[in-house]
Amino acid sequence: MSDWNPALYTRFEAERTRPAVELLARVPLVAGAVQLAVDLGCGPGNSTELVAQRFPGAAVIGIDNSPAMLEAAAERLRGRPGLRFELADIAAWVPAHPPQLIFANAALQWLPDLQRQLPRLMALLPVGGALAVQVPDNLDEPSHRLMRETAAAGPWAAKIGDAAGLRAPRLAAHRVYDLLAPLAGWADVWHTIYQHPMPSARAIVDWLRSTGLRPFIDPLDEAGREAFLRDYEARIDAAYPARADGLRLLAFPRLFFVAMRR
Ligand SMILES: C[S@@+](CC[C@H](N)C(=O)[O-])C[C@H]1O[C@@H](n2cnc3c(N)ncnc32)[C@H](O)[C@@H]1O
């Protein structure tokens, strides 16, 4: 896949960072208890910045497999003591020292085998350490259903291939709990459905163009990509009608979980 586009990603930074704030608020660790925190899938450093603010005395490492995102993160947080960024694939990542906090906001949904990764990440924590994760839970939303429908309905269908298989299936909340519980002394799992007011159908497409749409449009050439996005935007326009003030409400369910290692 092509690299991420940090500028496009941060266009909706406030909305994307809000779940990281709410996830961090549920982490039951005091500042002095964390010497090392890791932000998996740190992206442009927005979530890493929050972790560093919450645990001022800790070393914080941001991990990502996108050079463009790591460059944006390093630029954003240049000069902050105790912070560093490393290029690595989360799926194979093993810390040199056990971190007291593993934080992952909007990143682990890209792993093909979350059911294997969650117990693995829990096992990397010392006793009393915390795993805190938020993953979008929107594969059944119109935004994502329409990606699959657009993919199947156009001349691009063969190039895109198995649209349903492009994203790993979502894990139900009870399944996540069952994966964490054997290694956890305490676990908290919850859902939030955000309702983001968006200025236009085009803005919704732009939001998704930097994330969930990437596996669909990446295999296409520029003309194919533009045609796909036009078709998709027309479907989004119909699925998210203007509200009383003319804005569109983008419903965005997210699954959160925090667990402490026993
Ligand atoms: C949606 S962004 C989240 C960024 C940030 N954590 C936030 O709170 O907004 C997902 C990030 O995960 C990274 N990512 C996806 N799969 C990855 C993997 N297997 N290993 C490392 N990073 C990965 C992407 O490069 C991207 O920067």
Side-chain angles (χ1 to χ4, degrees):
M1 244 197 307
S2 68
D3 203 350
W4 289 68
N5 178 339
L8 189 56
Y9 183 77
T10 46
R11 197 179 297 173
F12 302 100
E13 180 171 313
E15 291 85 350
R16 295 193 200 277
T17 305
R18 181 172 161 192
V21 173
E22 292 170 6
L23 176 65
L24 198 54
R26 292 293 296 156
V27 171
L29 296 174
V30 294
V34 178
Q35 288 84 52
L36 176 62
V38 178
D39 183 22
L40 296 181
C42 63
N46 51 325
S47 47
T48 323
E49 188 170 15
L50 291 175
V51 172
Q53 279 163 358
R54 165 81 187 271
F55 300 104
V60 180
I61 304 176
I63 301 285
D64 210 289
N65 65 355
S66 156
M69 285 296 207
L70 286 174
E71 201 180 309
E75 177 62 34
R76 176 191 189 114
L77 298 169
R78 190 178 302 287
R80 299 280 189 98
L83 268 183
R84 68 172 201 272
F85 295 96
E86 291 176 6
L87 182 75
D89 178 1
I90 298 166
W93 167 80
V94 179
H97 305 284
Q100 288 76 31
L101 172 64
I102 298 180
F103 189 83
N105 184 58
L108 301 191
Q109 73 276 12
W110 294 106
L111 302 180
D113 56 349
L114 197 49
Q115 62 279 21
R116 208 177 61 76
Q117 288 292 333
L118 290 185
R120 187 183 84 83
L121 293 174
M122 277 299 283
L124 295 174
L125 292 168
V127 172
L131 173 69
V133 177
Q134 181 275 123
V135 281
D137 195 10
N138 52 3
L139 293 182
D140 297 330
E141 288 298 302
S143 55
H144 285 64
R145 180 173 45 76
L146 294 172
M147 288 177 197
R148 299 189 290 271
E149 286 181 17
T150 308
W156 41 70
K159 271 202 182 129
I160 295 174
D162 173 20
L166 288 178
R167 297 290 300 274
R170 60 186 280 278
L171 282 184
H174 62 264
R175 178 82 183 111
V176 166
Y177 189 90
D178 284 345
L179 289 166
L180 300 174
L183 288 172
W186 171 89
D188 185 13
V189 182
W190 75 101
H191 271 107
T192 298
I193 304 177
Y194 297 94
Q195 301 284 345
H196 297 296
M198 301 291 286
S200 61
R202 181 74 217 177
I204 296 176
V205 175
D206 283 345
W207 171 305
L208 295 158
R209 203 153 54 85
S210 64
T211 52
L213 272 172
R214 295 177 63 239
F216 291 83
I217 55 179
D218 256 17
L220 309 180
D221 60 22
E222 202 175 324
R225 222 168 6 241
E226 276 171 23
F228 182 101
L229 290 174
R230 262 198 310 279
D231 184 318
Y232 176 63
E233 184 179 332
R235 293 168 194 260
I236 289 288
D237 189 40
Y240 296 91
R243 309 311 320 168
D245 58 359
L247 300 181
R248 319 295 177 105
L249 269 190
L250 174 63
F252 204 128
R254 295 181 182 268
L255 175 64
F256 295 75
F257 43 96
V258 180
M260 282 187 91
R261 179 87 159 90
R262 71 173 146 100

